[in-house]
Amino acid sequence: MLDYDIKYLKFKTYLSTYCPHCNKSFNVKEKDHDVLVYKAVKDGEAFDLRLSPYLDVFEVETTRPLAQGDVLDDLLCPGCNQSLVEPGLPCGECGSKVGKITISAYSKLLPFFVCLKYGCEWHGLTKADERHIKLKIPRQEMPEQDQKLRVHNFLEVPYGLTTELAQLEAGRCLQCTKPKCVEGCPVGVDIPTMIKLIREENYEAAARKVKERNVLPAVCGRVCPQEDQCESKCVLGLRDSPVGIGNLERFVADWTMKMDLIKPPLQPKRLNKKVAVIGSGPGGVTAAADLAQLGYSVTMYEALHEPGGVLVYGIPEFRLPKAIVHFEIEYLRKLGVRVELNSVIGYLYTIDDLREMYDAIYIGVGAGLPKFMNIEGENLCNVYSANEYLTRVNLMKAYRFPEYDTPKPEGKDVVVLGGGNVAMDCARNALRCGATNVTIVYRRSRKELPAREEEVRHAMEEGIVFKLLTNPIRFIGNDINWVKAMECVKMELGEPDASGRRSPIPIEGSNFVIDTDLAIVAIGTGPNPLLFNTTPELERNKWGYIRVNEETMETSIPNVYAGGDIVTGSATVISAMGAGRIAANAIHERLSGEAKEQPAT
Amino acid sequence: MFEVLRHEEMAEGSIVRLDLSAPQIAQKAKPGQFVIIRANEFGERIPLTIADADAYSGTITIIFQIVGKSTALLRGFRSGDYIKDVVGPLGKPVEVEKVGTVVVVGGGTGIAILHHVTKGIKAAGNSIIGILGARSREYIIMEDEMAQLCDEMVITTDDGSYGIQGFVTTALQKYLDERFDIKLVYAIGPIIMMKNVCKLTKPYGIRTMVSLNPIMVDGTGMCGGCRVSINGHTKFCCCEGPDFDGHMVDFDELEKRNNMYLKKEKDSLLFAIR
């Protein structure tokens, strides 16, 4: 077997080898290919030993026949006749003597070892040298759908890593003894072990490893801002680009999904305790899965007709195919979680009703109240909130109108207000719904764009225009009350505000008008008051979000926990999942009276 | 899945009544609240006001007019069929207290909703004057049920085929001039009717409540598609309504917003026919 740690070399180079003593090359040109020629000694007899310079072949030929398992007495340089045997270093596989040669890799001369036993294919580098080489393997990018084609369909843009690319990428990992990446992960996925298992081609085990800590790996592999989390901590990132952890996570999740290998863990002993989870978004799903695995009877309530929360109504099909969300929710059902759709908590049941029915409650309803600019003309026809626009297109599948009954919001000149991921989603969605020009209007500069770098790049590639340092003042309607234009003002950046971002100031007299027939307001969300109308005693902070004990996520009402956007305001999928996990642990601690680590899958 | 228990067509098939088995919703539903219905996998989410709810038998009643694709689709549901999704009860219930004499004005299908609201107003101990209006005799629905609740009742038809000829406003004008004890007017019907009722009551300074019916998607305040201008402020009809003080509502804006998808509706129907 070939050692995995250097398998990557086969994609890049073949060996140029030199004698460490006289520096003469062992490579000999023979007709149309190279061979490496050494002088071998066995039973006092010297003869030529020829090796293939290609690492994945590494065939040994000798002028004197050798039997399988024979160990050479010595290996000499044919030039200077000095012994190449390195004393004190045994072969990593069979323990025989090894010969030390020098190779040139990435214009560096490095020591390299080959086993002297015939039939043993071990060869390798020292740990330190491996690092030198690994730094030089570039980060493997995911193949993507062509930018001209993709704006006309709703298929996913990145195709995911192939097995070869995944191996190459996994090979870059240094397997640090004190991995920093795990610290960067809000749910604490054991990333190095996952990567190690990928290298061993044990993708199923790798996926199970991820699933232990993260119930939605296929989702997080796609939508997590890894560049701010695990990948930002990767030591490779200090000098080069970090390991593509998210891409690898996506790879193993997709692989097992394709092979249909994810099996739910054995049913734990049922505890006679019931927990209600409000909202089936990423936070609710994590809390529900954790609690179900501990043996609780979990019921998850969802207001819409499909489970998944923001994953189904918010994130577009081309970024997160809905089939994946369904697959992950199906896993939750297999764990024994009951999913109650069409149940609006606050109306159908109040928190008080639920407290009578359940031992604990987790609130993960998200921040579902769209913010508007409160400018003139915002209620004109064809001015949408991002929530409405995305819900129509994603959840109600309006992009397949008239096959689906919900009408598709259409416009030729679309403007999107805001610079976050949701704004990018809206803009790219609009393009796919048939818009000719899509413009993103954002009041700060490129540097301050809150969207993920990848999303901004995808949007730019697809031809979306960015009007930065621009702020809308009013919408202008036509005679039948449809939006026809938007008046804007140019901005400049002033002093940094409390959040550290430089606050934009309007430049007087720089007003101009953009023609538009479809405007989408994507400037964020606030807390939806629906739940609080019937539960006014639920304490909230000055922005209206639920106030919780940060260590346990417990609210002001005992045994009622909350997490995700309804506590923090608009954030990421993974941070909601992290909150769900903390709450699940706290609920378990409270209900069982014992502190226990995460269940093993 | 929600079973249809009863199917009934009224007003020459233009108005349909469905009784649905939805025990949890029936338990909670109060007058003035609505449900969002998605008939099948391909369906649109449409808000329909709960016309009646019976907690004992676990049924809710919806009465709606056939106006487009989704309502036409719902009309096809017979007793024993299943509706995919019913969400509710949504919206704020009617807030009623004893004020004295209340005039309830219903137009067309609005009478169905008005009936449920009137029950609530009656239960609070008010005396009720009912004004029901429609195009012609065939389109007056639930006349008997309303007559039971009202202390006085007038019917108007546009063509004079039944009751007084004219609009509901004609009858309302008469009451406003004759009676001085009217404390509240509740108007439910087409936008134009509610608008005219409000125009009429404004000079008299009589509080007038209307029930609005904007286009909605989720019905939980998440999308903001149902926003209406109330006294210059944007409100979300699904959570802050559907009932508002009619004197503050911008009816013109509502009407235009409600017509937003007229062309699409046509496309959708044409597609269905093909």
Side-chain angles (χ1 to χ4, degrees), chain A residues 6-23:
Chain A
I6 49 166
K7 193 175 177 180
Y8 56 85
L9 282 174
K10 84 176 182 193
F11 298 103
K12 289 286 161 191
T13 184
Y14 75 104
L15 290 176
S16 299
T17 60
Y18 306 91
C19 171
H21 310 293
C22 64
N23 287 333

Side-chain angles (χ1 to χ4, degrees), chain A residues 552-587:
Chain A
T552 60
M553 296 312 215
E554 193 170 7
T555 63
S556 54
I557 305 175
N559 282 8
V560 177
Y561 297 76
D565 284 6
I566 194 63
V567 169
T568 57
S570 309
T572 57
V573 166
I574 192 77
S575 61
M577 293 178 68
R581 156 130 327 133
I582 296 172
N585 282 339
I587 289 172

Side-chain angles (χ1 to χ4, degrees), chain A residues 301-323:
Chain A
Y301 292 97
E302 167 57 47
L304 294 170
H305 57 258
E306 248 180 68
V310 73
L311 306 177
V312 291
Y313 80 75
I315 302 175
E317 178 75 19
F318 56 86
R319 202 143 82 78
L320 177 65
K322 298 301 156 251

Side-chain angles (χ1 to χ4, degrees), chain B:
Chain B
M1 300 291 263
F2 297 81
E3 195 184 350
V4 177
L5 300 173
R6 183 176 155 198
H7 170 106
E8 189 190 322
E9 290 186 9
M10 296 179 271
E12 307 203 307
S14 69
I15 296 173
V16 178
R17 170 193 170 133
L18 294 179
D19 283 7
L20 309 175
S21 165
Q24 287 152 338
I25 300 174
Q27 288 264 321
K28 293 276 180 173
K30 294 193 186 77
Q33 288 189 304
F34 62 94
V35 287
I36 287 214
I37 291 192
R38 192 173 75 125
N40 59 24
E41 194 51 50
F42 298 93
E44 208 178 341
R45 289 171 70 100
I46 53 165
L48 293 172
T49 308
I50 301 171
D52 207 352
D54 185 352
Y56 182 70
S57 63
T59 56
I60 57 164
T61 304
I62 47 167
I63 298 177
F64 55 90
Q65 195 178 356
I66 316 296
V67 286
K69 168 97 185 271
S70 300
T71 41
L73 190 71
L74 275 177
R75 182 194 188 179
F77 281 78
R78 304 291 141 145
S79 139
D81 290 347
Y82 285 87
I83 287 180
K84 187 105 183 22
D85 300 293
V86 180
V87 196
L90 301 166
K92 277 191 181 160
V94 176
E95 285 163 17
V96 272
E97 31 194 66
K98 190 171 176 184
V99 289
T101 307
V102 180
V103 179
V104 293
V105 185
T109 339
I111 301 171
I113 306 153
L114 188 73
H115 172 246
H116 201 206
V117 173
T118 311
K119 262 194 191 170
I121 299 172
K122 179 88 179 168
N126 298 297
S127 70
I128 292 164
I129 299 169
I131 303 173
L132 309 184
R135 246 183 296 161
S136 61
R137 181 173 195 141
E138 301 78 50
Y139 295 93
I140 296 282
I141 57 167
M142 303 182 87
E143 189 190 337
D144 297 341
E145 288 95 327
M146 282 303 288
Q148 280 176 13
L149 294 170
C150 298
D151 300 297
E152 259 180 71
M153 195 168 87
V154 181
I155 289 173
T156 65
T157 46
D158 301 1
D159 60 358
S161 56
Y162 191 47
I164 304 167
Q165 183 179 5
F167 301 116
V168 287
T169 40
T170 331
L172 181 62
Q173 178 79 60
K174 209 175 114 245
Y175 276 112
L176 292 174
D177 291 340
E178 287 172 5
R179 308 254 319 227
F180 301 101
D181 57 343
I182 296 167
K183 291 284 179 306
L184 176 70
V185 174
Y186 228 105
I188 303 174
I191 293 175
I192 181 76
M193 183 207 94
M194 294 192 283
K195 183 180 164 185
N196 287 332
V197 166
C198 293
K199 214 189 260 171
L200 190 64
T201 56
K202 195 155 190 187
Y204 294 87
I206 297 171
R207 200 161 118 89
T208 307
M209 294 300 287
V210 292
S211 178
L212 305 183
N213 59 338
I215 293 168
M216 292 184 190
V217 182
D218 67 295
T220 60
M222 190 192 80
C223 77
C226 61
R227 53 195 196 274
V228 287
S229 289
I230 308 294
N231 210 7
H233 298 287
T234 298
K235 300 263 183 206
F236 289 1
C237 187
C238 63
C239 0
E240 291 164 284
D243 296 347
F244 291 102
D245 185 338
H247 293 150
M248 296 182 180
V249 174
D250 184 343
F251 285 105
D252 296 338
E253 182 190 282
L254 176 67
E255 185 160 21
K256 279 167 186 155
R257 281 186 70 84
N258 272 8
N259 290 339
M260 212 161 138
Y261 296 108
L262 276 189
K263 200 192 153 281
K264 294 273 181 187
E265 189 74 46
K266 217 170 166 187
D267 294 348
S268 185
L269 279 168
L270 283 173
F271 177 82
I273 291 161
R274 256 185 244 130

